[in-house]
Amino acid sequence: MPDSAISVATGQINDARARKALRPSIAGFFDEATNTVSYVVHDPATGEAAIVDSVLDYQAASGRTSYGSADRIIEYVKSHDLTVVWLIETHAHADHISAAPYLQEKLGGKLAIGAEIVRVQEVFGKLFNAGTDFERDGSQFDHLFTDGERFALGDITGIALHVPGHTPADMAFIIGDAAFVGDTIFMPDFGTARADFPGGDARQLFQSIRRLLSLPDETRLFLCHDYKAPGRDDYAWETTVGQQRRENIHVKDGVSEEDFVTMRTERDKALDMPKLIMPSVQVNIRGGHLPEPEDNGVSYIKIPVNAV
């Protein structure tokens, strides 16, 4: 059966390439502490902007938060006279805490994530014993995107794609001729994301990646992370569909689904858990908000013992 969302996205990408006015401007902000790239993407004609996968600075040893990374984004938005209409999360991150609530307070915009976040909230709500006060319906977000849903960034059309595998709720967002692919693929010399978190699935991840790689070769791909593959001295986070199809060490053209699943499963067994997974997940399933303060006015992050 033809993939209607991909067909629409392909037409949009080709149109954006033909009509340069529909190509978004994109600025990446790399946070070396978490190897995360946040983006400000905007329509040059109207100044309407989206912020993708922002980072709240967090010191695990002290439990202190700060806003240096987010303030860099605020400075950029204000210096370019942009209007933020979307604060987009590609998924509930396990390696950093989102700064979306802080950015929303300062800049406005709707906070959005994929509709399958409810599955992640259910799993981790139980793990952290969040209780009945924690809603598991995605209501912490202003909007829940569904697969193939269109949205606007000024005069530029965006399309949301459900790309599960890393988690059940991962989304990619195509804006003009650019795709923000979250934790699906990395730079070609580093490969692909892990698929061993609760609800993750290596077979689904392969299928999601191949779906993305069915977009036109010239599609610009913007990645959520970079870890500098061995032999590479600089961080990088922009590639293309064509380059990934030719060069990705895990999932380039010619790699079978079975070979990928075997590789990914064995590789994941050797990986440590992300350093910030416990604070990150329990905050990010709340839309980036800390747990409600207790009777002493302090918020607490739980660390389950011997539970995972």
Side-chain angles (χ1 to χ4, degrees):
M1 179 181 296
D3 189 328
S4 58
I6 291 293
S7 295
V8 171
T10 296
Q12 171 185 303
I13 291 164
N14 289 333
D15 191 31
R17 289 177 56 230
R19 299 167 60 194
K20 292 184 179 181
L22 298 179
R23 286 171 55 94
S25 295
I26 298 163
F29 298 82
F30 186 70
D31 178 60
E32 191 167 354
T34 62
N35 294 93
T36 302
V37 193
S38 305
Y39 296 98
V40 177
V41 49
H42 77 270
D43 173 13
T46 67
E48 288 197 358
I51 298 171
V52 182
D53 291 336
S54 60
V55 175
L56 178 70
D57 300 321
Y58 176 75
Q59 295 294 327
S62 64
R64 291 189 179 276
T65 61
S66 56
Y67 304 103
S69 296
D71 286 340
R72 289 170 58 208
I73 291 175
I74 293 172
E75 181 181 0
Y76 178 87
V77 167
K78 291 185 174 180
S79 67
H80 288 76
D81 197 25
L82 305 180
T83 301
V84 174
V85 294
W86 291 104
L87 299 147
I88 292 173
E89 301 292 335
T90 55
H91 62 295
H93 309 278
D95 41 36
H96 71 270
I97 294 174
S98 169
Y102 174 75
L103 291 168
Q104 188 175 44
E105 178 185 346
K106 301 293 185 181
L107 299 172
K110 289 184 178 181
L111 174 57
I113 200 167
E116 293 299 311
I117 186 62
V118 297
R119 293 180 56 190
V120 179
Q121 289 176 326
E122 184 64 32
V123 169
F124 285 100
K126 290 178 180 177
L127 175 63
F128 294 115
N129 197 28
T132 57
D133 289 341
F134 172 58
E135 300 291 345
R136 295 159 169 83
D137 59 1
S139 57
Q140 299 84 353
F141 300 85
D142 300 315
H143 186 79
L144 301 181
F145 280 111
T146 57
D147 185 52
E149 181 178 349
R150 301 191 208 187
F151 61 100
L153 194 64
D155 296 330
I156 300 175
T157 300
I159 300 175
L161 296 179
H162 184 214
V163 287
H166 175 64
T167 79
D170 278 59
M171 301 292 290
F173 295 89
I174 301 170
I175 301 174
D177 69 334
F180 299 84
V181 298
D183 285 17
T184 52
I185 50 180
F186 300 136
M187 290 300 290
D189 57 359
F190 200 87
T192 59
R194 65 195 298 165
D196 60 333
F197 294 149
D201 184 283
R203 194 171 300 279
Q204 276 193 332
L205 180 61
F206 178 87
Q207 294 166 0
S208 293
I209 291 172
R210 293 311 304 184
R211 187 185 191 205
L212 288 170
L213 297 187
S214 69
L215 294 167
D217 280 0
E218 299 82 3
T219 307
R220 297 184 289 165
L221 302 183
F222 292 88
L223 317 180
C224 190
H225 297 289
D226 187 56
Y227 302 95
K228 283 200 299 191
R232 176 157 53 86
D233 295 329
D234 299 318
Y235 291 110
W237 48 81
E238 181 180 351
T239 177
T240 65
V241 165
Q243 184 184 18
Q244 293 284 0
R245 293 184 63 167
R246 293 188 303 269
E247 301 175 16
N248 189 288
I249 60 172
H250 292 168
V251 73
K252 64 186 175 183
D253 287 356
V255 175
S256 72
E257 182 173 323
E258 294 303 324
D259 286 345
F260 175 82
V261 170
T262 299
M263 177 282 301
R264 190 70 263 171
T265 302
E266 291 303 311
R267 186 178 176 89
D268 288 349
K269 289 178 182 178
L271 296 177
D272 293 330
M273 296 293 282
K275 294 178 182 178
L276 296 181
I277 185 170
M278 293 304 174
S280 294
V281 171
Q282 66 186 287
V283 174
N284 292 335
I285 60 175
R286 293 176 165 87
H289 293 280
L290 296 173
E292 286 295 318
E294 298 191 7
D295 56 11
N296 63 353
V298 177
S299 294
Y300 289 88
I301 288 174
K302 296 179 178 180
I303 306 295
V305 178
N306 298 325
V308 295

